[in-house]
Amino acid sequence: MDRLLRFLYTYRVFFTFFVLELLCAWMIVTNNQYQSTRYFNTSNRWAANLAGFSHNVREYFSLRAINEELANENAMLRDKLERESQRLFVLQSGSRDSSALQRYSYIGAKVINNSTQRYKNFITINRGRLDSIAPGMAVVSKDGAVGKVKSVSDHYAVLISLLNIDDNVSATITRTGHFGTAQWDGLDPRYISLKYIPRHVKPLVGDTIRTSGFNAVFPEGVLIGVVRDVTLPEQAPFHDIKVELAQDFDRLAYVSVVRSHLRQEKDSLEKITTGIAK
Amino acid sequence: MTRSLIIQIISFFAYLLLQVLLLKNLVLFNVAFCFFYVAFILLLPLETNSLSLLVVSFLMGFLVDVFYDSLGIHTAACVLVAYLRKYWLAAITPQGGYDAGASPAIAASGLQWFIVYALPLLFVHHAALFFIEAAGFGLFWHSMLKIIGSVLFTLTLMVLFQYLSWTNRR
């Protein structure tokens, strides 16, 4: 026992090093799990306040661009409102299911922290649990899909950006209706890859890619991007498709968090069905 | 002793705030990042106790991680550098040894020595950082590009910064 203690003492620096690295490994692994409410990230109040302050300073330098974007968004929303109210007039006479009218509601939020150059990029927004945001919700902008909520605190939330090599989104080619998986390859923040589109499909440059709505995170038909390049390697079962993102992630300022009102119903229905099938 | 301790504590937070408020937004050509806060670990006085060096590096890495949403990654890289620092310092001892109470900085040992000292440690730090973030060697060449770009960027800034503060003190 004495010798053991002396051994430990002689190599105390190495053992401290070893224990600290183990602690790091544990933190990295637990932090990688997809949906979680964690304290030590930028949804933490102190960190978020500081990040928000830093963002406020930076924002002055891009005010013009943000103004322009907001004006565009206003115009688009007004236009949409007009069309919706006309549709509503027709619907009012027909469907009796009130929730069919509003499956999703949108919560506006401001981006206070964002990165695009790393392999695993995250976005922090200034809305949290008290604004009824929960892990797993989808986030969109006026241009297209942005990401999913990873963790929330009372006033802030951290999103997994589409520009995160761990993130998969179920996507379809609008023209042909075939679906695959959109995933970032970690290289260029303007492009994302569309995977698992089989050989017999003929995707063309210029096809739009939208979310499929299969996993009930994203609403169906949210724009992801436009096909820029299609290659079909010899013998490969799937196409290599390069999609230019509709949303310029370097200029992300305002986003909307999507609350799916029917998600629970859909999930539990699917669970029951697959449960019986087993 | 207490005075130098207070200065170290203040500079700890100065490096941290500089990193997360300013340098975090500074990325050149999408490949060169600036992890200037590593300078804090590299420039601590030579006689710093190994154990406290490890613990301080752990804290520094951890706090940076909180702001980078990358819990554990910077911490792992910092602890690694803090551990290797002692052995590397012993390996490149200049003729006549180190002066008592000195920092491993340009002012004490010259530019050439400092580059020999800082370059490999920065490389180890950045390599650990980017390869852990990419979860393996799948993006090897792209990671390599980022590592080399970031090492050069960070090292340049460290050297410039030391020349600035050094002349001021004279």
Side-chain angles (χ1 to χ4, degrees):
Chain A
M1 191 62 198
D2 186 42
R3 282 179 57 191
L4 178 68
L5 283 178
R6 206 176 307 150
F7 172 75
L8 286 178
Y9 184 73
T10 319
Y11 293 98
R12 62 193 184 280
V13 175
F14 176 75
F15 283 116
T16 316
F17 165 70
F18 191 69
V19 167
L20 288 179
E21 289 289 7
L22 277 185
L23 198 60
C24 294
W26 175 76
M27 286 195 293
I28 293 169
V29 170
T30 47
N31 193 45
N32 267 343
Q33 284 161 3
Y34 167 45
Q35 284 173 15
S36 53
T37 313
R38 303 242 163 253
Y39 193 69
F40 292 114
N41 56 29
T42 43
S43 75
N44 167 330
R45 189 154 60 92
W46 293 100
N49 278 341
L50 212 54
F53 165 75
S54 155
H55 178 82
N56 282 341
V57 174
R58 265 177 290 141
E59 203 177 36
Y60 281 105
F61 299 103
S62 51
L63 272 184
R64 183 186 293 265
I66 291 173
N67 265 341
E68 201 174 301
E69 245 169 69
L70 283 180
N72 287 342
E73 182 166 7
N74 265 343
M76 192 203 70
L77 288 178
R78 221 175 295 134
D79 177 57
K80 202 167 170 181
L81 186 70
E82 192 66 29
R83 268 183 289 141
E84 289 298 312
S85 58
Q86 286 181 11
R87 262 234 320 261
L88 205 60
F89 182 71
V90 182
L91 275 174
Q92 262 165 351
S93 45
S95 169
R96 263 177 230 162
D97 180 3
S98 63
S99 58
L101 278 177
Q102 198 181 22
R103 283 171 180 246
Y104 300 101
S105 58
Y106 295 82
I107 307 157
K110 188 172 146 194
V111 174
I112 60 168
N113 193 16
N114 183 17
S115 69
T116 57
Q117 293 102 347
R118 289 184 266 149
Y119 293 130
K120 295 178 183 172
N121 292 300
F122 296 96
I123 300 167
T124 313
I125 57 173
N126 68 344
R127 296 258 187 264
R129 196 181 295 120
L130 297 182
D131 307 289
S132 59
I133 287 173
M137 288 180 176
V139 181
V140 300
S141 71
K142 71 173 173 42
D143 289 334
V146 171
K148 303 167 194 169
V149 178
K150 181 181 188 209
S151 57
V152 292
S153 67
D154 281 351
H155 301 286
Y156 298 97
V158 172
L159 323 175
I160 294 194
S161 162
L162 278 191
L163 300 182
N164 187 313
I165 53 175
D166 291 339
D167 194 29
N168 297 312
V169 177
S170 176
T172 59
I173 303 176
T174 317
R175 187 174 56 83
T176 64
H178 290 90
F179 63 92
T181 300
Q183 191 180 25
W184 192 46
D185 55 10
L187 299 180
D188 191 333
R190 288 171 301 169
Y191 298 98
I192 195 169
S193 316
L194 181 62
K195 297 178 166 179
Y196 313 124
I197 297 294
R199 283 187 83 91
H200 67 269
V201 185
K202 298 275 174 282
L204 298 174
V205 171
D207 278 350
T208 53
I209 306 297
R210 288 170 189 279
T211 56
S212 71
F214 283 167
N215 57 7
V217 172
F218 281 101
E220 197 181 324
V222 175
L223 189 62
I224 293 177
V226 177
V227 175
R228 276 288 164 261
D229 188 31
V230 182
T231 47
L232 185 56
E234 205 61 35
Q235 313 266 326
F238 304 116
H239 289 277
D240 281 345
I241 303 177
K242 197 175 172 189
V243 178
E244 184 175 358
L245 283 165
Q247 169 66 44
D248 179 356
F249 278 76
D250 280 316
R251 290 184 43 183
L252 203 58
Y254 289 88
V255 295
S256 310
V257 182
V258 184
R259 259 180 82 195
S260 167
H261 294 300
L262 298 183
R263 178 176 179 188
Q264 219 174 7
E265 188 178 329
K266 177 172 180 288
D267 282 355
S268 57
L269 177 65
E270 285 177 353
K271 206 173 276 174
I272 291 168
T273 319
T274 44
I276 289 169
K278 276 174 193 166
Chain B
M1 185 62 214
T2 41
R3 188 166 165 269
S4 72
L5 188 69
I6 290 170
I7 291 176
Q8 292 299 352
I9 290 173
I10 292 172
S11 67
F12 177 92
F13 286 105
Y15 276 106
L16 179 69
L17 290 179
L18 183 69
Q19 181 67 39
V20 300
L21 291 181
L22 193 66
L23 299 178
K24 191 179 165 211
N25 308 311
L26 197 61
V27 183
L28 297 184
F29 317 116
N30 271 341
V31 292
F33 295 73
C34 187
F35 298 116
F36 187 65
Y37 73 95
V38 187
F40 175 75
I41 299 170
L42 294 185
L43 295 179
L44 278 173
L46 284 164
E47 71 266 28
T48 312
N49 175 314
S50 299
L51 283 179
S52 37
L53 185 67
L54 283 176
V55 173
V56 167
S57 310
F58 183 87
L59 279 180
M60 176 61 103
F62 184 79
L63 289 173
V64 170
D65 270 333
V66 167
F67 286 93
Y68 274 75
D69 288 314
S70 60
L71 202 61
I73 297 180
H74 284 265
T75 322
C78 283
V79 172
L80 184 63
V81 166
Y83 181 68
L84 294 176
R85 191 184 107 131
K86 186 179 65 175
Y87 297 101
W88 185 235
L89 275 173
I92 57 166
T93 311
Q95 277 184 335
Y98 296 106
D99 297 337
S103 285
I106 297 175
S109 309
L111 176 65
Q112 205 180 352
W113 180 87
F114 181 76
I115 288 177
V116 171
Y117 164 62
L119 195 69
L121 288 180
L122 276 181
F123 187 83
V124 166
H125 176 271
H126 292 12
L129 204 66
F130 287 114
F131 285 127
I132 295 174
E133 195 191 10
F137 298 98
L139 295 155
F140 185 80
W141 290 113
H142 191 252
S143 295
M144 221 49 192
L145 188 69
K146 280 183 166 180
I147 292 167
I148 292 169
S150 310
V151 167
L152 292 179
F153 189 19
T154 309
L155 187 67
T156 312
L157 218 67
M158 275 166 70
V159 169
L160 285 180
F161 189 76
Q162 284 188 49
Y163 274 120
L164 284 177
S165 53
W166 183 27
T167 41
N168 278 348
R169 226 175 282 146
R170 274 184 165 178

